[in-house]
Amino acid sequence: MTLGGTHVLVTGSTSGIGESIAEHFLREGADVVVTGRDEARGKSVAKRLGSAASGRCVFIAADLATAEGPGALAAAAESRLGGIDILVNNAGSYKIDGTPISAADFDEMMHLNVRGVHLLTTALVPGMAERGSGVVVNITSPVAYRGYPGMAAYAGTKAALDMLTKCWAAEYGRSGIRVMALSPGPVITPGVEEAVGTGVNVPQEVLTRTGLVVGRVATGLDISSAVVFLARTDAAYIHGTTFHVDGGMNGVGSLWGADKDAPPE
């Protein structure tokens, strides 16, 4: 099934996983809205992606952590493309310094990771329901399904997103809207590099901390391929569930620790 002619909105798509997802949809012939807070970077990304794609790529600046940002983005995206068929809720913020975080950091994660997703989705699903079809893919995280030290607040936002996925699938499925979640394994993005810290081998550090069955971190293509599959009618019988594209993190857990074959410190 081709995605040519479909209209896609990918939040947090001016870098990292979101940019890879937007690029993959464009290669499939979809028209894509790229969005983020940094207008200069967003316009540059949209220009680069659109120049090599058969689909149309437009950038709309938006701050989804604000109360008015999601509604404004939904209206602008529908105006520019004439309705959104596929929504990928990828934008997110994370602080993993431990449980004692500031109220400002906690609010930023809750507002962007949960409230922003809720407001944007509920602004777009009426149009999908009117057309009788639509797809919503929420990007969660392995920390929503297993306990990890220092990640309580961030993991809580992603666990909330997992339950929103289930409830929306139940609420909107009869209207022709499929709602799913995808939990990606670690991809070396600028945000991951910042979280791990400077002066370390980031891919090796991530492997040591997580213990992936495949022995490597994910690529953007690993994640975007799965998202595009979920958006196709090939996946028409998939509703309300989470795809774990995580190198075995959720199913197996850490392979290292005291293992004699563990990577060197």
Side-chain angles (χ1 to χ4, degrees):
M1 172 262 182
T2 178
L3 291 170
T6 57
H7 300 159
V8 183
L9 170 57
V10 184
T11 67
S13 46
T14 60
S15 66
I17 292 174
E19 183 178 349
S20 296
I21 294 170
E23 182 175 14
H24 203 140
F25 274 111
L26 284 162
R27 291 203 308 269
E28 296 286 329
D31 296 330
V32 177
V33 172
V34 167
T35 184
R37 288 181 281 198
D38 188 323
E39 186 164 359
R41 183 171 68 183
K43 288 181 176 179
S44 175
V45 168
K47 181 178 180 180
R48 180 181 65 81
L49 296 183
S51 65
S54 56
R56 182 161 55 113
C57 185
V58 300
F59 171 73
I60 300 174
D63 185 352
L64 298 179
T66 66
E68 64 279 359
L73 173 60
E78 290 185 317
S79 174
R80 293 288 295 274
L81 294 187
I84 297 298
D85 304 304
I86 301 164
L87 168 63
V88 182
N89 286 309
N90 170 75
S93 173
Y94 56 92
K95 309 291 182 180
I96 55 174
D97 296 331
T99 293
I101 63 173
S102 69
D105 285 344
F106 184 86
D107 286 347
E108 178 185 347
M109 285 191 288
M110 289 297 297
H111 290 166
L112 180 56
N113 299 3
V114 182
R115 186 182 69 178
V117 172
H118 191 282
L119 294 177
L120 180 61
T121 302
T122 54
L124 290 173
V125 291
M128 295 179 181
E130 184 176 341
R131 293 185 295 274
S133 66
V135 173
V136 178
V137 180
N138 297 319
I139 305 300
T140 62
S141 167
V143 304
Y145 311 98
R146 299 176 66 92
Y148 291 91
M151 296 189 179
Y154 173 65
T157 67
K158 290 301 185 178
L161 189 54
D162 185 65
M163 186 51 67
L164 285 177
T165 300
K166 294 178 173 64
C167 291
W168 285 338
E171 185 172 353
Y172 300 124
R174 295 295 180 90
S175 299
I177 301 170
R178 293 189 300 113
V179 186
M180 299 143 290
L182 186 143
S183 175
V187 180
I188 305 306
T189 64
V192 170
E193 291 180 327
E194 181 180 353
V196 171
T198 58
V200 297
N201 182 326
V202 176
Q204 186 63 66
E205 179 68 13
V206 169
L207 286 175
T208 302
R209 292 186 185 188
T210 58
L212 304 175
V213 172
V214 294
R216 67 171 177 85
V217 297
T219 66
L221 183 60
D222 289 325
I223 309 307
S224 66
S225 296
V227 173
V228 168
F229 164 71
L230 291 174
R232 294 181 183 276
T233 54
D234 299 357
Y237 207 60
I238 301 174
H239 288 255
T241 192
T242 299
F243 262 48
H244 295 274
V245 187
D246 60 8
M249 285 179 65
N250 182 67
V252 177
S254 178
L255 299 178
W256 310 127
D259 192 303
K260 64 181 177 61
D261 295 322
E265 294 292 328

